[in-house]
Amino acid sequence: QVQLVESGGGLVQPGGSLRLSCAASGNIFRIYYMGWYRQAPGKERGLVARITSAGSPEYADSVKGRFTISRDNAKNTVDLEMNSLKPEDTAVYYCNAIISPYDGPRYNGWGQGTQVTVSS
């Protein structure tokens, strides 16, 4: 079994910054994509940013230029640096990883979610 544990959410004023971190542990042979999704009340969960094992990032249009994703393959961690935060960034943020375990097929793993609230 694999665990994805997130940290770093909270309340921040518009224009402020937050850094989210996620660490994967457990039965991990290889992690392909690692990334972050978010879900606001009444909306579907959607991609914020993801990064390949080679370090190639992909961002949602709404966060380009403001958010930066990074990854440490040796530690199985992924971070999301969020700057110039807007009220519309308010959501529960979920860590995601596409994982191959040692003894089974590839699957899509999720963290428990961390709340980010942008408000004055």
Side-chain angles (χ1 to χ4, degrees):
Q1 190 62 280
V2 174
Q3 287 187 319
L4 298 173
V5 179
E6 301 128 333
S7 61
L11 172 64
V12 64
Q13 292 186 343
S17 298
L18 279 176
R19 187 179 184 89
L20 304 183
S21 297
C22 174
S25 62
N27 183 7
I28 299 170
F29 172 68
R30 181 178 177 183
I31 301 179
Y32 299 90
Y33 283 100
M34 293 190 82
W36 294 89
Y37 287 70
R38 67 187 181 187
Q39 187 168 20
K43 295 187 177 181
E44 294 187 353
R45 190 178 300 187
L47 175 70
V48 176
R50 64 178 183 174
I51 186 168
T52 68
S53 56
S56 179
E58 176 184 349
Y59 297 95
D61 287 342
S62 59
V63 307
K64 284 180 181 176
R66 301 188 297 123
F67 291 9
T68 302
I69 191 168
S70 59
R71 176 174 173 173
D72 186 328
N73 289 331
K75 297 180 179 179
N76 289 330
T77 59
V78 61
D79 292 342
L80 185 68
E81 182 72 31
M82 304 185 293
N83 297 315
S84 302
L85 282 161
K86 304 175 181 180
E88 51 263 43
D89 295 316
T90 296
V92 177
Y93 285 69
Y94 296 91
C95 179
N96 171 262
I98 300 176
I99 300 164
S100 280
Y102 285 99
D103 55 358
R106 185 183 307 186
Y107 69 93
N108 205 8
W110 293 95
Q112 79 283 0
T114 186
Q115 177 70 46
V116 172
T117 302
V118 185
S119 175
S120 55

